[in-house]
Amino acid sequence: MSGNIRLLDDALAGAKAEGRAALIAYLPAGFPTVDGGIEAVKAVFEGGADVVEVGLPHSDPVLDGPVIQTADDIALRGGLKIRDVMRTVREAHEATGKPVLVMTYWNPIDRYGVERFTAELAEAGGAGCILPDLPVQESALWREHAEKHDLATVFVVAPSSKDERLATITAAGSGFVYAASLMGVTGTRESVGAQAQDLVRRTKATTELPVCVGLGVSNARQAVEVAGFADGVIVGSAFVQRMLDAPDEAAGLAAVRALAGELADGVRGKA
């Protein structure tokens, strides 16, 4: 069975045709439970997300902040397995018809088996995978199987990436490019925003792929700012925090649905 890279491409192209950035949400599988995580993905789609990244929780999430680490820990203590991640992708996609990717560190895929993982992700209706810690020069086996199963391979670029490195990364990727920057960590909000904008400009000079920014966006005003220079706005921790803060699962679903609606207005310039 083929994966859904074309559905992802169409979603991003559709947003561009509307003159706006796409809204891409991130939620970890198995949080607060497997069933609750599936409902949360459905809720953010209902609120207006164009694409959802389903996180595969990892015991050592070195690239994730404390909010997502907390959610990952809850999922892992709940006994989450890769089959539950695939079920999350399948049920969310079947319920919405929207593109769902998996975001994961490389080690779980390597241990599970690349062919098995890509085949199961495609069978589940997945659109592809975001691989933040897989070096491009070591990605040939993954890309071979991803292409075989019509899955996108999304690589991550950072402000520290030199132009030559950006060209190498973007030439190997598909779907979109994930431009990572951390608002409020490496400097003031203004300087970090400028850094992200410069990264998008430099990345776009190397590729025709959409460039989507994960920038610590948590509200509609910030979504408007990032949508002004990126093809997509990626929001993760803000959704997870809404779930963590909620008194019960129903309230959490309502909260993430509402936040998706606010951010969807933001990428449309309605904030």
Side-chain angles (χ1 to χ4, degrees), residues 137-148:
Q137 62 269 26
E138 297 175 18
S139 68
L141 178 64
W142 165 266
R143 288 187 286 128
E144 175 190 341
H145 288 289
E147 289 168 13
K148 172 182 170 184

Side-chain angles (χ1 to χ4, degrees), residues 33-236:
T33 62
V34 174
D35 288 343
I38 293 168
E39 294 306 311
V41 176
K42 294 178 186 177
V44 295
F45 273 132
E46 290 164 4
D50 298 290
V51 179
V52 171
E53 304 169 4
V54 171
L56 196 165
H58 192 268
S59 57
D60 185 26
V62 293
L63 300 180
D64 294 316
V67 172
I68 291 174
Q69 287 185 34
T70 298
D72 280 3
D73 184 57
I74 291 169
L76 292 169
R77 284 192 284 110
L80 183 87
K81 305 296 184 186
I82 287 181
R83 66 174 176 269
D84 299 313
V85 178
M86 298 300 179
R87 181 186 155 214
T88 301
V89 172
R90 177 183 294 104
E91 295 192 15
H93 170 65
E94 287 179 350
T96 65
K98 303 277 189 168
V100 183
L101 301 107
V102 169
M103 185 168 189
T104 179
Y105 297 98
W106 179 244
N107 182 256
I109 295 177
D110 192 37
R111 292 181 63 183
Y112 197 71
V114 175
E115 170 59 24
R116 180 184 178 193
F117 189 94
T118 52
E120 290 184 7
L121 182 57
E123 191 276 330
C129 214
I130 302 165
L131 301 161
D133 67 339
L134 177 64
V136 171
Q137 62 269 26
E138 297 175 18
S139 68
L141 178 64
W142 165 266
R143 288 187 286 128
E144 175 190 341
H145 288 289
E147 289 168 13
K148 172 182 170 184
H149 292 290
D150 289 328
L151 297 169
T153 297
V154 179
F155 288 114
V156 179
V157 298
S160 58
S161 302
K162 304 298 184 186
D163 290 352
E164 183 178 357
R165 178 69 176 161
L166 289 176
T168 300
I169 292 171
T170 59
S174 56
F176 65 92
V177 182
Y178 189 123
S181 185
L182 297 175
M183 187 178 296
V185 174
T186 57
T188 66
R189 183 177 182 280
E190 289 75 20
S191 68
V192 176
Q195 192 175 43
Q197 189 167 0
D198 180 64
L199 174 60
V200 170
R201 178 190 59 77
R202 292 193 297 118
T203 304
K204 280 180 168 291
T206 72
T207 183
E208 295 297 316
L209 290 173
V211 181
C212 305
V213 174
L215 227 170
V217 176
S218 61
N219 60 53
R221 285 191 303 276
Q222 292 168 336
V224 170
E225 179 184 355
V226 176
F229 58 83
D231 298 304
V233 179
I234 303 169
V235 182

